[in-house]
Amino acid sequence: MKQTAPRYVALIPAAGVGARMASNSPKQYLPIGAKPMLRHTLDAFVSSPLIAHTYVVVSAHDAYIDAIVPSGAATVLRCGGASRMESVRNALRALEGELHEHDWVLVHDAARPGLNAALIGKLIDSVGDDPVGGLLALPVVDTVKRGGAHVSTVARDGLWLAQTPQMFRYKLLCDALAAATDAKVITDDASAVEALGLSPKLVEGHPCNLKVTLPADIRIAEMYLAAP
């Protein structure tokens, strides 16, 4: 039997509270420009013809998501966990039977509103049929210091700052997260895959795809989104 071509689906874990933003609502719902942060992220995947469908993972009692997701644009999965790793793992379990083992899953942070269709296309094209998968990342250009009692300079050659989406086949991602036990160690999907002894491909991203973590990041994100 001929194997069907793999699909590309987006998975956005959005169950976090964003404590460092000091806000009354989860940070993914804070306004960036004229839209909630999460809506920018959703619109990036919806605008890409390469993405077959988008799934958003929220907590069971999320009171904001229904007003954010346009009808038919994405499927909301109310199975978010206490950590990012748990939210992604729960979502993958919920999608058992919906996805084939060779389908590609692009996991993207809800708090990266600067993603666009061009970056999604670059990641998919660059990863191609790589046996492991890959992620967007930026090479480190600043001098890196290690703090402590004795400050030292760390060689930046070969150092990258991980971004998202991080793109892996459904079965591999399920296996990697099933094998992971410590959410503090597995800070992104690539680290779970690396723990299996595999090396994801690094695809150069763009500074516009920054993660909004602190209040000052909102203005930076707005500047990128306002640029042509």
Side-chain angles (χ1 to χ4, degrees), residues 139-215:
V140 172
V141 295
D142 293 325
T143 298
V144 179
K145 300 290 185 181
R146 177 179 286 112
H150 301 284
V151 175
S152 60
T153 300
V154 178
R156 65 189 177 206
D157 294 345
L159 293 182
W160 292 67
L161 300 175
Q163 295 186 328
T164 63
Q166 301 191 355
M167 172 178 151
F168 301 101
R169 295 192 187 271
Y170 175 69
K171 186 178 185 303
L172 174 58
L173 190 54
C174 287
D175 291 345
L177 292 176
T181 57
D182 190 347
K184 293 181 180 179
V185 174
I186 305 302
T187 55
D188 65 358
D189 311 287
S191 58
V193 172
E194 292 157 18
L196 297 180
L198 302 173
S199 297
K201 185 173 185 177
L202 297 174
V203 178
E204 187 165 352
H206 192 280
C208 70
N209 191 26
L210 83 161
K211 186 175 183 179
V212 176
T213 303
L214 301 173

Coordinates of all heavy atoms in Angstrom, one line a residue, residues 139-215:
P139 N 22.0 32.0 15.6 CA 23.4 31.9 16.1 C 23.7 33.0 17.1 O 23.3 34.2 16.9 CB 24.2 32.0 14.8 CG 23.4 32.7 13.8 CD 22.0 32.3 14.2
V140 N 24.4 32.7 18.2 CA 24.8 33.7 19.2 C 25.9 34.6 18.6 O 26.9 34.2 18.1 CB 25.3 33.0 20.5 CG1 25.9 34.0 21.4 CG2 24.2 32.2 21.1
V141 N 25.6 35.9 18.7 CA 26.6 36.9 18.2 C 27.2 37.7 19.3 O 28.3 38.4 19.1 CB 25.9 37.8 17.1 CG1 25.4 37.0 15.9 CG2 24.7 38.6 17.8
D142 N 26.6 37.8 20.4 CA 27.1 38.6 21.6 C 28.2 37.8 22.3 O 28.2 36.5 22.2 CB 26.0 39.0 22.6 CG 25.1 40.0 22.0 OD1 25.5 40.8 21.2 OD2 23.9 39.9 22.3
T143 N 29.1 38.4 23.0 CA 30.0 37.8 23.9 C 29.2 37.2 25.1 O 28.4 37.9 25.7 CB 31.1 38.7 24.4 OG1 31.8 39.2 23.2 CG2 32.0 38.0 25.4
V144 N 29.5 35.9 25.4 CA 28.8 35.3 26.4 C 29.6 35.1 27.7 O 30.8 34.7 27.6 CB 28.3 33.8 26.0 CG1 27.6 33.1 27.1 CG2 27.5 34.0 24.7
K145 N 29.1 35.5 28.8 CA 29.8 35.4 30.1 C 29.1 34.4 31.0 O 27.9 34.3 31.1 CB 29.8 36.8 30.8 CG 30.5 37.9 30.1 CD 32.0 37.8 30.0 CE 32.6 39.0 29.3 NZ 34.1 38.8 29.2
R146 N 30.0 33.7 31.8 CA 29.4 32.8 32.8 C 29.6 33.5 34.1 O 30.8 33.8 34.5 CB 30.1 31.4 32.8 CG 29.7 30.5 33.9 CD 30.4 29.1 33.9 NE 29.8 28.3 32.8 CZ 30.5 28.0 31.7 NH1 31.7 28.4 31.6 NH2 30.0 27.2 30.8
G147 N 28.6 33.7 34.9 CA 28.6 34.4 36.2 C 29.1 33.5 37.3 O 29.3 32.3 37.1
G148 N 29.1 34.1 38.5 CA 29.5 33.3 39.7 C 30.6 34.0 40.4 O 30.9 35.2 40.2
A149 N 31.3 33.2 41.2 CA 32.4 33.8 42.0 C 33.5 34.2 41.0 O 34.3 35.2 41.3 CB 32.9 32.8 43.0
H150 N 33.7 33.5 39.9 CA 34.8 33.8 39.0 C 34.1 33.9 37.6 O 33.8 33.0 37.0 CB 35.8 32.7 38.9 CG 36.5 32.5 40.3 ND1 37.4 33.4 40.8 CD2 36.3 31.5 41.2 CE1 37.8 32.9 42.0 NE2 37.2 31.8 42.2
V151 N 33.9 35.2 37.2 CA 33.3 35.4 35.9 C 34.3 35.0 34.8 O 35.5 35.2 34.8 CB 33.0 36.9 35.7 CG1 32.5 37.2 34.3 CG2 32.0 37.4 36.7
S152 N 33.7 34.3 33.7 CA 34.5 33.9 32.6 C 33.8 34.1 31.3 O 32.6 34.2 31.3 CB 34.9 32.4 32.8 OG 33.8 31.6 32.9
T153 N 34.5 34.1 30.2 CA 33.9 34.2 28.9 C 33.8 32.8 28.3 O 34.7 32.0 28.3 CB 34.8 35.1 28.0 OG1 35.0 36.4 28.6 CG2 34.2 35.2 26.6
V154 N 32.6 32.6 27.7 CA 32.3 31.3 27.1 C 32.4 31.5 25.6 O 31.9 32.4 25.0 CB 30.8 30.9 27.4 CG1 30.5 29.6 26.8 CG2 30.7 30.8 29.0
A155 N 33.1 30.6 25.0 CA 33.3 30.6 23.5 C 31.9 30.5 22.8 O 31.1 29.6 23.2 CB 34.2 29.5 23.0
R156 N 31.6 31.4 22.0 CA 30.3 31.4 21.3 C 30.2 30.6 20.1 O 29.1 30.4 19.5 CB 29.8 32.8 21.1 CG 30.6 33.6 20.0 CD 30.3 35.0 20.0 NE 31.1 35.7 19.0 CZ 31.4 37.0 19.1 NH1 30.9 37.7 20.1 NH2 32.2 37.6 18.2
D157 N 31.3 30.1 19.6 CA 31.3 29.3 18.4 C 30.4 28.1 18.5 O 30.5 27.3 19.5 CB 32.7 28.8 18.1 CG 33.7 29.9 17.7 OD1 33.2 31.0 17.4 OD2 34.9 29.7 17.7
G158 N 29.5 27.9 17.6 CA 28.6 26.8 17.7 C 27.4 27.0 18.6 O 26.6 26.0 18.7
L159 N 27.3 28.1 19.3 CA 26.1 28.3 20.2 C 25.0 29.0 19.4 O 25.2 29.9 18.6 CB 26.5 29.2 21.3 CG 27.6 28.7 22.3 CD1 27.8 29.7 23.4 CD2 27.1 27.4 22.9
W160 N 23.8 28.5 19.7 CA 22.6 29.0 19.1 C 21.5 29.2 20.1 O 21.5 28.6 21.2 CB 22.0 28.0 18.1 CG 22.9 27.7 16.9 CD1 24.1 27.2 16.8 CD2 22.5 28.1 15.5 NE1 24.5 27.1 15.5 CE2 23.6 27.7 14.7 CE3 21.4 28.7 14.9 CZ2 23.6 27.9 13.3 CZ3 21.4 28.9 13.5 CH2 22.5 28.5 12.7
L161 N 20.6 30.2 19.9 CA 19.5 30.4 20.7 C 18.3 29.8 20.1 O 17.9 30.2 19.0 CB 19.2 32.0 20.9 CG 20.4 32.8 21.5 CD1 20.1 34.2 21.5 CD2 20.7 32.3 22.9
A162 N 17.7 28.8 20.8 CA 16.5 28.1 20.2 C 15.3 29.0 20.1 O 15.0 29.8 21.0 CB 16.2 26.9 21.1
Q163 N 14.6 28.9 19.0 CA 13.3 29.5 18.8 C 12.3 28.4 18.5 O 12.6 27.2 18.8 CB 13.3 30.4 17.6 CG 14.2 31.6 17.7 CD 14.1 32.6 16.6 OE1 13.8 32.3 15.4 NE2 14.3 33.9 16.9
T164 N 11.1 28.7 18.1 CA 10.1 27.8 17.7 C 9.5 28.4 16.4 O 9.7 29.6 16.1 CB 9.0 27.6 18.7 OG1 8.3 28.8 18.9 CG2 9.6 27.1 20.0
P165 N 8.9 27.6 15.5 CA 8.5 26.2 15.7 C 9.7 25.2 15.8 O 10.7 25.5 15.2 CB 7.6 25.9 14.5 CG 7.2 27.2 13.9 CD 8.4 28.1 14.3
Q166 N 9.4 24.1 16.5 CA 10.3 23.0 16.5 C 9.5 21.8 15.9 O 8.4 21.5 16.3 CB 10.7 22.7 17.9 CG 11.5 23.9 18.5 CD 12.2 23.6 19.8 OE1 12.1 22.5 20.4 NE2 12.9 24.6 20.3
M167 N 10.1 21.2 14.8 CA 9.3 20.3 13.9 C 9.9 18.9 14.0 O 11.0 18.7 13.6 CB 9.5 20.9 12.5 CG 8.9 20.1 11.4 SD 9.1 21.1 9.8 CE 9.3 19.7 8.7
F168 N 9.0 18.0 14.4 CA 9.4 16.6 14.5 C 8.2 15.7 14.0 O 7.0 16.2 14.1 CB 9.8 16.2 15.9 CG 10.9 17.0 16.4 CD1 10.7 18.1 17.3 CD2 12.2 16.7 16.0 CE1 11.8 18.8 17.8 CE2 13.3 17.5 16.5 CZ 13.1 18.5 17.3
R169 N 8.5 14.5 13.6 CA 7.4 13.6 13.2 C 6.6 13.2 14.4 O 7.2 13.1 15.6 CB 8.0 12.4 12.4 CG 8.6 12.8 11.1 CD 8.8 11.6 10.2 NE 9.6 11.9 9.0 CZ 9.0 12.3 7.9 NH1 7.7 12.3 7.8 NH2 9.8 12.5 6.8
Y170 N 5.4 12.9 14.2 CA 4.5 12.7 15.4 C 4.9 11.6 16.3 O 5.0 11.7 17.5 CB 3.1 12.3 14.8 CG 2.1 11.9 15.9 CD1 1.6 12.8 16.8 CD2 1.6 10.6 15.9 CE1 0.7 12.4 17.8 CE2 0.7 10.2 16.9 CZ 0.2 11.1 17.8 OH -0.7 10.7 18.8
K171 N 5.3 10.4 15.7 CA 5.7 9.3 16.5 C 7.0 9.6 17.3 O 7.1 9.3 18.5 CB 5.9 8.0 15.7 CG 6.2 6.8 16.5 CD 6.4 5.5 15.7 CE 6.5 4.3 16.6 NZ 7.7 4.4 17.5
L172 N 8.0 10.2 16.6 CA 9.3 10.5 17.3 C 9.0 11.5 18.5 O 9.6 11.3 19.6 CB 10.2 11.1 16.3 CG 11.6 11.6 16.9 CD1 12.3 10.5 17.6 CD2 12.4 12.3 15.9
L173 N 8.2 12.5 18.3 CA 7.9 13.4 19.3 C 7.2 12.7 20.5 O 7.5 13.0 21.7 CB 7.1 14.6 18.8 CG 6.9 15.8 19.7 CD1 8.3 16.3 20.2 CD2 6.2 16.9 19.0
C174 N 6.2 11.9 20.2 CA 5.5 11.1 21.2 C 6.5 10.3 22.0 O 6.5 10.3 23.3 CB 4.5 10.2 20.6 SG 3.0 11.0 20.0
D175 N 7.4 9.6 21.3 CA 8.4 8.7 22.0 C 9.4 9.5 22.9 O 9.7 9.1 24.0 CB 9.2 7.9 21.0 CG 8.4 6.9 20.2 OD1 7.3 6.6 20.7 OD2 8.8 6.4 19.2
A176 N 9.8 10.7 22.3 CA 10.8 11.5 23.1 C 10.1 12.1 24.4 O 10.8 12.0 25.4 CB 11.2 12.7 22.2
L177 N 8.9 12.5 24.3 CA 8.3 13.1 25.5 C 7.8 12.0 26.4 O 7.8 12.2 27.6 CB 7.1 14.0 25.1 CG 7.5 15.2 24.3 CD1 6.2 16.0 23.9 CD2 8.3 16.1 25.2
A178 N 7.5 10.8 25.9 CA 7.2 9.7 26.8 C 8.4 9.3 27.6 O 8.2 8.8 28.8 CB 6.6 8.5 26.0
A179 N 9.6 9.4 27.0 CA 10.8 9.0 27.7 C 11.3 10.1 28.7 O 12.1 9.8 29.6 CB 11.9 8.7 26.7
A180 N 10.8 11.3 28.6 CA 11.2 12.4 29.4 C 10.6 12.3 30.8 O 9.4 12.0 30.9 CB 10.9 13.7 28.8
T181 N 11.4 12.6 31.8 CA 10.8 12.5 33.2 C 10.9 13.8 34.0 O 10.2 14.0 34.9 CB 11.6 11.4 34.0 OG1 13.0 11.7 34.0 CG2 11.3 10.0 33.3
D182 N 11.8 14.7 33.6 CA 12.0 15.9 34.3 C 11.7 17.1 33.5 O 12.4 17.5 32.6 CB 13.5 16.0 34.8 CG 13.7 17.1 35.8 OD1 12.9 18.0 36.0 OD2 14.8 17.1 36.4
A183 N 10.6 17.8 33.8 CA 10.2 19.0 33.0 C 11.1 20.1 33.2 O 11.2 21.0 32.3 CB 8.8 19.4 33.5
K184 N 11.9 20.2 34.2 CA 12.9 21.2 34.4 C 14.1 21.1 33.5 O 14.8 22.0 33.1 CB 13.4 21.3 35.8 CG 12.3 21.7 36.8 CD 12.8 21.7 38.3 CE 11.8 22.1 39.3 NZ 12.3 22.1 40.7
V185 N 14.4 19.8 33.1 CA 15.5 19.6 32.1 C 15.0 19.7 30.7 O 15.7 20.2 29.8 CB 16.0 18.2 32.4 CG1 17.1 17.8 31.4 CG2 16.6 18.1 33.8
I186 N 13.8 19.2 30.4 CA 13.2 19.3 29.1 C 12.5 20.6 28.9 O 11.3 20.7 29.1 CB 12.3 18.1 28.8 CG1 13.0 16.8 29.1 CG2 11.7 18.1 27.4 CD1 14.2 16.5 28.3
T187 N 13.3 21.6 28.5 CA 12.7 23.0 28.4 C 12.1 23.2 27.0 O 11.4 24.2 26.9 CB 13.8 24.0 28.7 OG1 14.9 23.8 27.8 CG2 14.3 23.9 30.1
D188 N 12.4 22.4 26.1 CA 11.7 22.5 24.8 C 11.6 21.1 24.1 O 12.2 20.1 24.7 CB 12.4 23.5 23.8 CG 13.8 23.1 23.4 OD1 14.3 22.0 23.9 OD2 14.5 23.8 22.7
D189 N 11.0 21.0 23.0 CA 10.8 19.7 22.4 C 12.1 19.1 21.9 O 12.3 17.9 21.9 CB 9.7 19.8 21.3 CG 8.5 20.6 21.8 OD1 7.7 20.0 22.5 OD2 8.4 21.8 21.4
A190 N 12.9 20.0 21.4 CA 14.2 19.5 20.8 C 15.1 18.9 21.9 O 15.8 17.9 21.7 CB 15.0 20.7 20.2
S191 N 15.0 19.4 23.2 CA 15.8 18.8 24.2 C 15.3 17.4 24.5 O 16.1 16.5 24.9 CB 15.8 19.7 25.5 OG 14.5 19.9 25.9
A192 N 14.0 17.1 24.4 CA 13.5 15.8 24.6 C 14.0 14.8 23.5 O 14.4 13.7 23.8 CB 12.0 15.8 24.6
V193 N 14.1 15.3 22.3 CA 14.6 14.5 21.2 C 16.1 14.3 21.3 O 16.6 13.2 21.1 CB 14.3 15.2 19.8 CG1 15.0 14.5 18.7 CG2 12.8 15.2 19.6
E194 N 16.8 15.3 21.8 CA 18.3 15.2 22.0 C 18.6 14.2 23.1 O 19.6 13.5 23.0 CB 18.8 16.6 22.4 CG 18.8 17.6 21.3 CD 18.8 19.0 21.8 OE1 19.2 19.2 23.0 OE2 18.5 19.9 21.0
A195 N 17.7 14.1 24.1 CA 17.9 13.1 25.1 C 17.9 11.7 24.6 O 18.4 10.8 25.3 CB 16.9 13.3 26.2
L196 N 17.3 11.5 23.4 CA 17.3 10.1 22.8 C 18.6 9.9 22.0 O 18.7 8.8 21.4 CB 16.1 10.0 21.9 CG 14.7 10.1 22.5 CD1 13.7 9.9 21.4 CD2 14.5 9.0 23.6
G197 N 19.5 10.8 22.0 CA 20.8 10.7 21.3 C 20.7 11.2 19.9 O 21.6 10.9 19.1
L198 N 19.7 11.9 19.6 CA 19.5 12.4 18.2 C 19.8 13.9 18.1 O 19.8 14.6 19.1 CB 18.0 12.2 17.8 CG 17.5 10.8 17.8 CD1 16.0 10.7 17.5 CD2 18.3 9.9 16.8
S199 N 20.1 14.4 16.9 CA 20.5 15.8 16.7 C 19.6 16.5 15.7 O 19.7 16.2 14.5 CB 22.0 15.8 16.1 OG 22.9 15.3 17.1
P200 N 18.7 17.3 16.2 CA 17.8 18.1 15.3 C 18.6 19.1 14.5 O 19.7 19.5 14.9 CB 16.9 18.8 16.3 CG 17.0 18.1 17.6 CD 18.4 17.6 17.6
K201 N 18.1 19.4 13.3 CA 18.7 20.3 12.4 C 18.4 21.8 12.9 O 17.2 22.1 13.2 CB 18.2 20.1 11.0 CG 18.9 21.0 9.9 CD 18.5 20.6 8.5 CE 19.2 21.3 7.5 NZ 18.9 20.9 6.1
L202 N 19.4 22.6 12.9 CA 19.2 24.0 13.2 C 19.0 24.9 12.0 O 19.8 24.8 11.1 CB 20.4 24.6 14.0 CG 20.7 23.9 15.4 CD1 21.9 24.4 16.0 CD2 19.5 24.1 16.3
V203 N 17.9 25.6 11.9 CA 17.6 26.4 10.7 C 17.5 27.9 11.2 O 16.8 28.2 12.2 CB 16.2 26.0 10.2 CG1 15.8 26.9 9.0 CG2 16.2 24.5 9.7
E204 N 18.3 28.7 10.6 CA 18.4 30.1 11.1 C 17.1 30.8 11.0 O 16.4 30.9 9.9 CB 19.5 30.9 10.3 CG 19.7 32.3 10.9 CD 21.0 32.9 10.4 OE1 21.8 32.3 9.7 OE2 21.2 34.1 10.7
G205 N 16.6 31.3 12.1 CA 15.3 32.0 12.2 C 15.5 33.5 11.9 O 16.3 34.0 11.1
H206 N 14.8 34.3 12.7 CA 14.8 35.8 12.6 C 14.5 36.4 14.0 O 13.7 35.9 14.7 CB 13.8 36.3 11.6 CG 14.0 37.7 11.1 ND1 13.5 38.7 11.9 CD2 14.6 38.2 10.0 CE1 13.8 39.9 11.3 NE2 14.5 39.6 10.2
P207 N 15.2 37.6 14.3 CA 14.9 38.2 15.5 C 13.4 38.6 15.7 O 13.0 38.8 16.9 CB 15.8 39.5 15.5 CG 16.9 39.1 14.6 CD 16.3 38.2 13.5
C208 N 12.7 38.8 14.7 CA 11.2 39.1 14.8 C 10.5 38.0 15.6 O 9.4 38.3 16.1 CB 10.6 39.4 13.4 SG 10.4 37.9 12.4
N209 N 11.0 36.8 15.6 CA 10.4 35.7 16.2 C 10.8 35.6 17.7 O 11.0 34.5 18.2 CB 10.7 34.4 15.4 CG 9.9 33.2 15.8 OD1 8.8 33.4 16.3 ND2 10.4 32.0 15.6
L210 N 10.9 36.7 18.3 CA 11.3 36.7 19.7 C 10.2 36.2 20.6 O 9.0 36.3 20.3 CB 11.7 38.1 20.2 CG 10.7 39.1 20.6 CD1 11.3 40.2 21.5 CD2 9.9 39.7 19.5
K211 N 10.6 35.7 21.8 CA 9.6 35.3 22.8 C 9.3 36.4 23.8 O 10.2 37.0 24.4 CB 10.2 34.1 23.6 CG 9.1 33.5 24.5 CD 9.7 32.2 25.2 CE 8.6 31.6 26.1 NZ 9.1 30.3 26.7
V212 N 8.0 36.8 23.9 CA 7.6 37.8 24.8 C 7.6 37.2 26.2 O 6.8 36.4 26.6 CB 6.3 38.4 24.4 CG1 5.8 39.4 25.5 CG2 6.3 39.0 23.1
T213 N 8.5 37.7 27.1 CA 8.7 37.2 28.4 C 8.5 38.2 29.5 O 7.8 38.0 30.5 CB 10.1 36.5 28.6 OG1 10.3 35.5 27.6 CG2 10.2 35.9 30.0
L214 N 9.0 39.4 29.2 CA 8.9 40.6 30.2 C 8.1 41.7 29.5 O 7.9 41.7 28.3 CB 10.3 41.1 30.5 CG 11.3 40.0 31.1 CD1 12.7 40.6 31.2 CD2 10.8 39.6 32.5
P215 N 7.5 42.6 30.4 CA 6.7 43.7 29.8 C 7.3 44.5 28.7 O 6.7 44.8 27.7 CB 6.4 44.5 31.0 CG 6.4 43.6 32.2 CD 7.5 42.6 31.8

